[in-house]
Amino acid sequence: MYRILLVEDDERIASLLGGHLQKYGYHIKIAEKLNDIKEEFAEMKPDLVLLDINLPFFDGFYWCRQIRTVSNAPIIFISARTDELNQVMAIENGGDDYITKPFHLEVVMAKIKSVLRRTYGEYSPSLSQESRLVELGGLTIYPDQYEAEWKNSRISFSQKEFQLLSIFIREHKKIVSRDELLEALWDDVDFVDDNTLTVNVNRLRRKLENAGLKDAIATIRGQGYVFEVNRKDEREC
């Protein structure tokens, strides 16, 4: 039974959504300490968080960042803010998906199932069935921790970022199309803004660059992306 923390200050919406999810066998906890969501998260240790943006004390972006300091559990934002900027901000702050209000319960269920399946089920990021540690050109991958290491610099990823990295490593030096990545990361492609993929790729690229792995992800205009470790070093040789 998956545990879901529902962070929503509208009692009517929280009750409606929480009751619907319970019918499908999920263990639901509606957050009560809206002044300390991180503590609520630590107490429950949920498998997934449904997080509103407009909250008292601090907004959902803040709490998403706080949760990301202790966990890579998937976070789905649910908000009445429909503009693209807020959806980008949700991803930039560590969210995995975004649902706008008013929402259809079937859409919420589909996204929850998709995220849970890709995080914990048959599609969870695993670079090797035989080994839980992978090394590629000096880049060491730790699938169990959603982390990597490059020249003694440790990098932590969100679930979506690590899924992207897993695909790129499996397809090392090959062009991976945007359609392939969208289908691999989200079951319900029709509900995903194309910009969401761009934001996730840019976040992954930035984390690798901050650790010293530069130019690893190249954008091939009109085709997709190519991931190559030591790309810069090879050009200089």
Side-chain angles (χ1 to χ4, degrees):
M1 181 184 293
Y2 287 110
R3 303 178 306 278
I4 298 178
L5 176 63
L6 175 55
V7 184
E8 170 62 69
D9 63 336
D10 187 315
E11 295 182 2
R12 183 185 63 83
I13 293 177
S15 177
L16 174 66
L17 183 54
H20 186 76
L21 293 173
Q22 284 181 329
K23 291 179 182 178
Y24 285 85
Y26 295 108
H27 176 62
I28 306 299
K29 179 177 183 0
I30 299 174
E32 299 174 353
K33 303 174 184 177
L34 296 179
N35 63 327
D36 198 345
I37 302 302
K38 187 176 180 180
E39 181 179 336
E40 289 251 12
F41 181 91
E43 291 174 355
M44 183 186 187
K45 294 182 173 62
D47 301 298
L48 181 143
V49 179
L50 296 176
L51 181 62
D52 192 11
I53 294 178
N54 293 325
L55 296 168
F57 305 104
F58 300 98
D59 64 21
F61 300 137
Y62 171 83
W63 291 121
C64 186
R65 294 194 302 273
Q66 290 298 302
I67 291 171
R68 282 289 169 257
T69 65
V70 296
S71 174
N72 283 317
I75 298 174
I76 300 177
F77 279 91
I78 299 183
S79 175
R81 300 184 186 181
T82 60
D83 59 287
E84 192 173 271
L85 176 60
N86 276 283
Q87 297 184 41
V88 170
M89 288 180 61
I91 298 169
E92 288 281 6
N93 281 277
D96 294 282
D97 212 331
Y98 194 100
I99 300 172
T100 57
K101 301 176 184 176
F103 52 78
H104 293 286
L105 290 172
E106 292 77 11
V107 172
V108 178
M109 289 298 301
K111 284 184 174 285
I112 287 174
K113 289 178 181 178
S114 173
V115 169
L116 289 174
R117 181 164 58 249
R118 294 187 178 279
T119 306
Y120 307 109
E122 58 182 312
Y123 300 118
S124 60
S126 173
L127 296 168
S128 173
Q129 296 298 323
E130 300 176 356
S131 172
R132 301 306 298 167
L133 187 148
V134 176
E135 196 276 337
L136 176 67
L139 179 66
T140 304
I141 313 298
Y142 302 90
D144 290 331
Q145 289 82 35
Y146 286 7
E147 293 182 348
E149 187 172 358
W150 174 257
K151 296 182 178 179
N152 297 319
S153 181
R154 197 76 169 223
I155 318 164
S156 296
F157 304 101
S158 71
Q159 183 243 356
K160 280 289 186 287
E161 292 164 0
F162 195 82
Q163 282 181 307
L164 274 172
L165 180 61
S166 302
I167 296 168
F168 284 142
I169 288 177
R170 283 197 297 267
E171 302 298 325
H172 189 235
K173 296 187 178 182
K174 299 178 183 177
I175 296 176
V176 184
S177 72
R178 291 180 63 85
D179 286 343
E180 288 179 76
L181 293 173
L182 283 166
E183 291 175 6
L185 269 66
W186 291 278
D187 283 344
D188 304 295
V189 176
D190 291 340
F191 297 116
V192 179
D193 190 312
D194 187 63
N195 193 50
T196 301
L197 175 61
T198 301
V199 173
N200 277 281
V201 171
N202 287 340
R203 286 185 62 193
L204 174 60
R205 179 185 280 132
R206 187 161 57 248
K207 286 189 176 182
L208 293 173
E209 290 180 347
N210 289 341
L213 183 55
K214 301 192 181 294
D215 302 316
I217 302 174
T219 301
I220 310 300
R221 187 176 297 276
Q223 298 184 63
Y225 303 95
V226 171
F227 180 82
E228 185 175 345
V229 176
N230 295 324
R231 175 190 304 277
K232 192 171 183 179
D233 294 340
E234 289 179 5
R235 286 177 179 173
E236 294 174 348
C237 293

